[in-house]
Amino acid sequence: MAQDSHCIAERELLEAVRGISTFSTTSPSDEEQNQPEAEISCQVRKENSEKDDLQDSSASLSPNSSMTTKELQEYWRNEKRQCRQVELLFEIPSTRIVEHHLSKYVTYKIIILQTGSFDSNKSVIERRYSDFDKLHRNLLEEFSEEMEDVTFPKKTLTGNFTEETINERKLAFKDYLRLLYSMTYIRKSKKFIDFLTRPELQEAYGCLRGGQYTKALEILLEVIGLQERLTRGNPVSIVPTLCAIVVCHKDLENPASAFEYGEKALSRLRVHTSHRYYIPLLETMIALAYELGKDFLSLQENLEEWKAKKDPIRVFTLKELAVREYVQ
């Protein structure tokens, strides 16, 4: 039995070492702790990296043939503690060539999947080479040290539309996104999040300003899921999008749905009552609650309490705030 236990421990160690040497994206979220072990991967740890959110355990051992079964098991436990659940995966399954009157370019279809989820949680966006190039230049300005060893596919004067070049870039951009997402500071940066969400949000708000509420709502509902997964550490950042959804539902005469998303937005502002959306959202929620026959006294009390503490200032309506978002 002792020999069997030793063999099992050695096999576990070999699996651990193979897992450590394989690069994968990671996330600091603790919400995915019950995912299958097959979906757990370790982030590449750089020497002398104070910014890395994974710290090597001082008790961690190096594997060798002289280690006892107990030491091997302890080594494995230490390595597992330093592994984080994969949260988002990036795939680029296809591309398409777009031709306009005076331009021609390739768009890359990016599918963003949440680990352990199925198609219901995926987000699909399209970006072209120039979008990736702009992101790379912006990140170099802010994260020069982190980006030092990050490679980016160079632009060529000819052959940009050959099947070979397109396939090479497709694989390169897939690895590029995974690598960026593995870096805590970059993953949380506005520039990275904007790359993944801003074009769609700009389109949605453009539709909202044009009175195309059905189209705006369709896009916003697609984006909000991705925004939530990208900004879990900063829930207030998605309040404008939630409020835009409230405005669309309200103008489409769906008060129940508007109230539902309004509650989500309001829950993120409980301790942020100075936020520019707080009072317009409260006023809208009071009106919606009255229309739906819901109790609005607590909402009214919050509104009166805020007004009693603050000097009278002009407050925009929720819709007025929404149409001002993403104005070029």
Side-chain angles (χ1 to χ4, degrees), residues 64-75:
N64 59 68
S65 58
S66 64
M67 291 172 69
T68 65
T69 298
K70 183 177 180 181
E71 288 172 336
L72 285 167
Q73 291 173 343
E74 181 62 25
Y75 176 85

Side-chain angles (χ1 to χ4, degrees), residues 181-212:
Y181 187 75
S182 73
M183 302 178 188
T184 305
Y185 286 83
I186 292 179
R187 177 175 62 241
K188 296 179 179 181
S189 71
K190 184 177 184 299
K191 291 177 180 178
F192 182 69
I193 294 172
D194 278 353
F195 169 80
L196 296 171
T197 61
R198 189 177 181 88
E200 286 71 25
L201 287 172
Q202 286 177 323
E203 181 183 1
Y205 279 97
C207 292
L208 192 157
R209 285 189 289 272
Q212 300 175 15

Side-chain angles (χ1 to χ4, degrees), residues 1-17:
M1 292 295 293
Q3 183 177 1
D4 291 342
S5 299
H6 185 73
C7 291
I8 292 172
E10 288 184 333
R11 285 199 297 271
E12 289 180 334
L13 173 61
L14 290 174
E15 290 173 2
V17 174

Side-chain angles (χ1 to χ4, degrees), residues 133-150:
D133 183 57
K134 181 179 179 182
L135 169 66
H136 190 68
R137 286 186 283 106
N138 287 339
L139 291 177
L140 283 173
E141 292 178 358
E142 187 173 352
F143 304 101
S144 58
E145 183 179 343
E146 290 85 347
M147 297 289 291
E148 183 178 359
D149 297 323
V150 178

Side-chain angles (χ1 to χ4, degrees), residues 13-26:
L13 173 61
L14 290 174
E15 290 173 2
V17 174
R18 283 197 295 269
I20 295 165
S21 63
T22 303
F23 170 77
S24 176
T25 55
T26 57

Side-chain angles (χ1 to χ4, degrees), residues 225-262:
L226 178 57
Q227 271 192 305
E228 287 177 330
R229 294 193 290 274
L230 288 168
T231 61
R232 281 182 175 170
N234 183 20
V236 176
S237 64
I238 67 168
V239 166
T241 305
L242 289 171
C243 288
I245 293 174
V246 172
V247 169
C248 289
H249 274 307
K250 190 171 183 295
D251 280 18
L252 290 170
E253 298 182 358
N254 299 323
S257 296
F259 192 84
E260 175 189 349
Y261 279 92

